[in-house]
Amino acid sequence: MQHAILMMLFLLTSIVMIAQQKTDQYPVYKGNDLGLTYTPQSSTFKIWAPTAVAARINFYATDLGGVSNRTANLVKKPKGVWSITIPGNLKNQYYTFQVLINGVWSDEVIDPYAKACGTNGFRAQVVNLKETNPDGWAEDKSPNFSTTNRQTDAVIYELHVRDASIHASSGVQQKGKFLGLAELGTQNTKGGSTGLAHLKELGVTHIHLLPFYDYNSVDETKPDQYNWGYDPVNYNIPEGSYSTNPADGNVRIKELKTLIKTMHSNGLRIVMDVVYNHTALTKNSNFNILVPDYYYRKRADGSFSDASACGNETASDQAMFQKFMLESLVYWVKEYHIDGFRFDLMGIHDIQSMNLIADTLRKIKPSIILYGEGWTAGGSPLAEDKRAVKKNAYQLNGIAVFSDDMRDGIKGSVFNIDDRGFATGKLDNDESVKFGLVAAGKHPQINYAKVNYSKAPYTAGPAGLINYADCHDNNILWDKIALSYKTASEAERVKMHELAYAIVLTAQGASFLTAGSEFLRSKNGVENSFDKGDLVNGINWDLKTSNASTYQYIQSLIKIRKAHPAFRMQSAEQIAQYLVFQNSLPKGIIAYTLNGAAVGDKWKKIWVGFNGAQTPQTLSLPAGNWKVGSINYQSVLKGNQITIDGSAAVILYQ
Ligand code: CA
């Protein structure tokens, strides 16, 4: 009795102490064994829940429904950890946790470190990860890619797993699934290659897949539902709707690994789109139920701040969330052989965490590529000078940011549907394009005051920039051109589209394409089609054949880029010295020479010209005997004179 009273007093004191503690003073656990440690002989479960006074685990035979067949109390350990080791082989059992906080048992949750789960991520699952490996997984190797930090060698192709194969024209059997993107030899109705075979043929180096961790917005029991997936639930588990059986956690893991292995053996690397900046749920997220208010930033009034515009923002500046991000990323690299990460709304994360992540991941995989959105979708309480936003990009250790300056310089603002860009005849946008061409670095010929958004260089070097014309967000390029230039003919719009991609693929920094833009993919004018279903989003692969000349042109530009290091210079100093803009040109022309010889290119000198005007323009070339590298439409090289057709690009070399 006396013991019980003393115990209660102790517990009450602990509760009061914890309540008085600021969340950033919670004990930090340094071990790397949170979550499940499985062996056939026993399973150890550990969660971090420093404010809980009790914690329990519930086991189930099935992933949905039924009642728990076993409940056990976890034991409190130092540093806020609760742990239990259960003897016997628990393989394939499902489980949840509950914590007792302020006298109330919480809802059942999955712990954030879980590696497998059943349908819709409601229950975690004990799996033997070794048994999820497809045949030959031990020999799986990422295709060769420079082992130094040469992100500029990357030609990145952004793709949604379901979009890739769901359309009837894909010729894929397992439509919408991880395995569908692993099918080889698929064709559209005209005999053109689709899916994985197409990606190989196009020549890109990295396939950036939109989120494929377990997300919230698709009910995995309803095969027709669609979403991009920017609403994370279980960060360390693949999404169930892309698997053939979301109920069995083994299946989604094995099928994703099969996709990755197949990509690797076909010369392609995989980039994972990660969304650590917010969670789908806020108050009732797994994180917040286990440790209320710890993992998220708050406003002064105690409400959840919302720099993601999705209801909350996570706090990478809290030790245990930084640790979570880091361990999660390391896990994806080690367990799934991921080759790169794209950080959604990276401007929410703090610079110190991002650099810790970059340094840690490069020790494990030196060739990894890292990039993110250098902005937020709303205000954050964390000071801007601490956050990984675009203007601080020069402080990041080899993490690139997307160039919205270049993107909108090329085609007009994504937020103003009528606005045009350099490639669509708004010739005053030339300085923003030039800024992107030099990878947003310091260059003596850029007039920063005339750049659309950034008035100063922000990258430390070209590895710090992703140049692009479009991505999944806003309108896809072909639609943007049509919507902003309603009077242009289709033939004119095709040329503008090709010019836009010619600018991207010849620019310094890494190149980025969105799926299907290489053959004029349309989303029927629907922007931000995140929940608009397959009719809008599914890639119509027959376009590849009907728009074959655009496809072949973009494919040829990728080939030139990959063959010529002059387009992939390695430092801002090289670019400042060896990329020289031609002066005194007619309005609408951007032209520059690259000193190929200085960077080991077999093209000793390269000349690139873009005509943003819609009529042909003729100009004199620098001295020398120029040969055609890439020319199309009515452009003509004649001695020392080049005529660039309206809305066209030319590449020459000596
Ligand atoms: Ca899901």
Side-chain angles (χ1 to χ4, degrees):
M1 185 68 190
Q2 212 174 20
H3 177 77
I5 290 168
L6 274 175
M7 190 66 197
M8 263 187 59
L9 271 173
F10 170 75
L11 284 176
L12 279 171
T13 319
S14 318
I15 293 168
V16 171
M17 276 175 63
I18 231 72
Q20 286 168 345
Q21 257 181 344
K22 286 191 170 166
T23 58
D24 59 2
Q25 291 163 358
Y26 286 5
V28 173
Y29 180 63
K30 295 261 165 67
N32 63 358
D33 57 352
L34 289 175
L36 166 66
T37 304
Y38 167 85
T39 71
Q41 290 75 42
S42 71
S43 291
T44 298
F45 302 87
K46 281 189 185 173
I47 58 170
W48 185 72
T51 59
V53 295
R56 67 189 181 206
I57 185 166
N58 311 298
F59 290 95
Y60 295 86
T62 58
D63 68 323
L64 296 171
V67 289
S68 171
N69 53 27
R70 180 181 190 180
T71 291
N73 291 319
L74 281 72
V75 177
K76 191 170 174 121
K77 301 283 182 185
K79 304 291 182 190
V81 171
W82 295 83
S83 173
I84 187 170
T85 297
I86 296 180
N89 192 346
L90 301 190
K91 196 172 80 177
N92 293 334
Q93 291 200 35
Y94 298 91
Y95 62 96
T96 64
F97 294 98
Q98 287 174 282
V99 286
L100 182 65
I101 295 173
N102 294 333
V104 181
W105 280 104
S106 72
D107 289 344
E108 294 177 53
V109 293
I110 290 192
D111 107 81
Y113 286 83
K115 307 289 200 300
C117 65
T119 306
N120 287 332
F122 294 144
R123 291 174 188 164
Q125 190 177 17
V126 177
V127 295
N128 183 349
L129 283 168
K130 288 195 185 81
E131 293 175 4
T132 64
N133 294 340
D135 290 344
W137 184 246
E139 290 77 48
D140 175 62
K141 260 198 154 59
S142 300
N144 279 340
F145 195 68
S146 178
T147 50
T148 53
N149 175 22
R150 290 187 58 118
Q151 299 210 133
T152 53
D153 290 352
V155 181
I156 302 161
Y157 187 89
E158 183 202 43
L159 179 65
H160 184 277
V161 173
R162 186 176 172 100
D163 293 357
S165 60
I166 201 73
H167 196 275
S169 63
S170 72
V172 169
Q173 299 293 313
Q174 311 221 50
K175 289 189 168 58
K177 306 298 180 192
F178 289 132
L179 293 179
L181 197 43
E183 287 178 30
L184 279 161
T186 55
Q187 294 186 340
N188 65 16
T189 65
K190 321 279 183 208
S193 62
T194 65
L196 178 54
H198 167 79
L199 302 176
K200 269 181 83 169
E201 185 188 290
L202 180 59
V204 293
T205 63
H206 288 72
I207 307 303
H208 154 164
L209 292 176
L210 261 64
F212 57 80
Y213 52 74
D214 181 33
Y215 60 78
N216 191 50
S217 47
V218 162
D219 181 341
E220 296 173 4
T221 66
K222 302 211 164 78
D224 291 336
Q225 290 194 357
Y226 180 91
N227 206 279
W228 283 346
Y230 289 91
D231 54 341
V233 179
N234 293 301
Y235 284 100
N236 294 342
I237 303 176
E239 163 61 14
S241 64
Y242 299 147
S243 77
T244 57
N245 181 10
D248 182 351
N250 294 278
V251 174
R252 59 179 79 186
I253 299 173
K254 186 169 188 172
E255 291 179 351
L256 174 57
K257 285 179 174 172
T258 301
L259 167 59
I260 292 167
K261 181 174 171 287
T262 311
M263 289 264 180
H264 282 169
S265 61
N266 283 281
L268 296 163
R269 297 182 140 240
I270 292 249
V271 174
M272 181 177 184
D273 196 338
V274 288
V275 187
Y276 293 102
N277 65 76
H278 75 278
T279 53
L281 305 175
T282 302
K283 244 184 141 42
N284 294 319
S285 73
N286 296 338
F287 284 104
N288 202 56
I289 284 178
L290 288 170
V291 193
D293 300 338
Y294 174 82
Y295 291 103
Y296 301 92
R297 295 195 189 122
K298 295 281 204 101
R299 299 188 186 96
D301 67 2
S303 61
F304 286 92
S305 58
D306 188 20
S308 72
C310 293
N312 61 71
E313 65 180 280
T314 55
S316 58
D317 43 322
Q318 289 278 43
M320 291 300 286
F321 193 74
Q322 183 195 72
K323 171 189 168 71
F324 176 78
M325 280 177 73
L326 186 61
E327 287 187 16
S328 174
L329 292 159
V330 167
Y331 172 70
W332 282 104
V333 173
K334 287 189 170 169
E335 186 65 31
Y336 288 88
H337 308 173
I338 295 293
D339 304 300
F341 295 99
R342 175 265 189 198
F343 294 88
D344 188 66
L345 298 182
M346 184 169 69
I348 291 178
H349 304 314
D350 70 288
I351 295 167
Q352 188 257 331
S353 292
M354 291 311 301
N355 284 340
L356 176 67
I357 284 166
D359 297 348
T360 306
L361 293 179
R362 286 220 166 82
K363 274 186 202 129
I364 299 167
K365 195 166 203 168
S367 61
I368 204 158
I369 66 168
L370 303 169
Y371 53 99
E373 292 182 303
W375 49 73
T376 66
S380 170
L382 188 67
E384 193 180 47
D385 63 359
K386 290 197 163 55
R387 286 189 282 112
V389 293
K390 195 175 71 172
K391 73 176 185 186
N392 299 330
Y394 66 93
Q395 298 179 48
L396 296 168
N397 296 348
I399 307 172
V401 294
F402 284 97
S403 171
D404 56 345
D405 310 273
M406 171 72 131
R407 180 196 68 198
D408 291 3
I410 289 174
K411 68 176 182 184
S413 168
V414 297
F415 302 113
N416 175 357
I417 201 61
D418 299 319
D419 194 31
R420 296 178 197 163
F422 178 80
T424 46
K426 189 176 173 185
L427 307 180
D428 289 339
N429 271 20
D430 56 346
E431 208 67 23
S432 302
V433 170
K434 287 166 70 180
F435 181 56
L437 291 171
V438 302
K442 203 168 175 203
H443 189 284
Q445 290 175 287
I446 300 294
N447 181 353
Y448 295 95
K450 286 174 70 184
V451 174
N452 48 7
Y453 305 137
S454 306
K455 303 300 177 194
Y458 52 81
T459 60
L465 198 72
I466 303 284
N467 269 316
Y468 69 130
D470 57 349
C471 68
H472 65 280
D473 279 323
N474 309 110
N475 284 115
I476 200 163
L477 182 62
W478 183 237
D479 289 349
K480 167 70 177 172
I481 295 173
L483 290 162
S484 63
Y485 207 150
K486 296 193 175 71
T487 56
S489 69
E490 178 164 334
E492 287 169 325
R493 286 185 283 117
V494 170
K495 290 173 76 181
M496 293 171 184
H497 189 103
E498 292 176 6
L499 173 58
Y501 264 93
I503 294 169
V504 168
L505 287 164
T506 51
Q508 303 296 322
S511 309
F512 179 101
L513 301 79
T514 204
S517 268
E518 72 276 26
F519 47 73
L520 309 178
R521 176 184 176 194
S522 169
K523 295 187 185 177
N524 306 325
V526 176
E527 69 171 335
N528 296 323
S529 57
F530 68 96
D531 62 350
K532 295 296 184 288
D534 299 328
L535 270 178
V536 168
N537 289 291
I539 296 172
N540 176 357
W541 288 97
D542 285 346
L543 291 173
K544 177 180 168 180
T545 305
S546 48
N547 298 320
S549 65
T550 299
Y551 167 63
Q552 284 155 9
Y553 179 63
I554 290 177
Q555 184 191 36
S556 74
L557 292 171
I558 293 171
K559 198 171 171 190
I560 289 172
R561 181 177 183 86
K562 285 167 71 182
H564 294 283
F567 296 106
R568 298 175 276 117
M569 290 185 195
Q570 295 306 303
S571 69
E573 291 73 24
Q574 281 183 339
I575 295 169
Q577 204 178 342
Y578 303 138
L579 188 161
V580 180
F581 290 104
Q582 197 167 329
N583 289 321
S584 312
L585 293 169
K587 190 155 177 87
I589 300 283
I590 296 173
Y592 60 92
T593 52
L594 298 170
N595 184 342
V599 293
D601 199 311
K602 61 179 184 277
W603 287 357
K604 304 296 176 205
K605 245 182 179 182
I606 299 173
W607 184 91
V608 182
F610 309 117
N611 183 7
Q614 286 173 257
T615 48
Q617 303 206 68
T618 301
L619 50 144
S620 298
L621 292 163
N625 181 23
W626 293 100
K627 299 187 185 72
V628 168
S630 171
I631 199 163
N632 60 2
Y633 297 104
Q634 308 303 313
S635 303
V636 187
L637 171 66
K638 204 172 172 188
N640 193 36
Q641 298 277 306
I642 181 79
T643 300
I644 313 180
D645 198 7
S647 313
V650 170
I651 302 173
L652 307 173
Y653 69 94
Q654 295 183 12

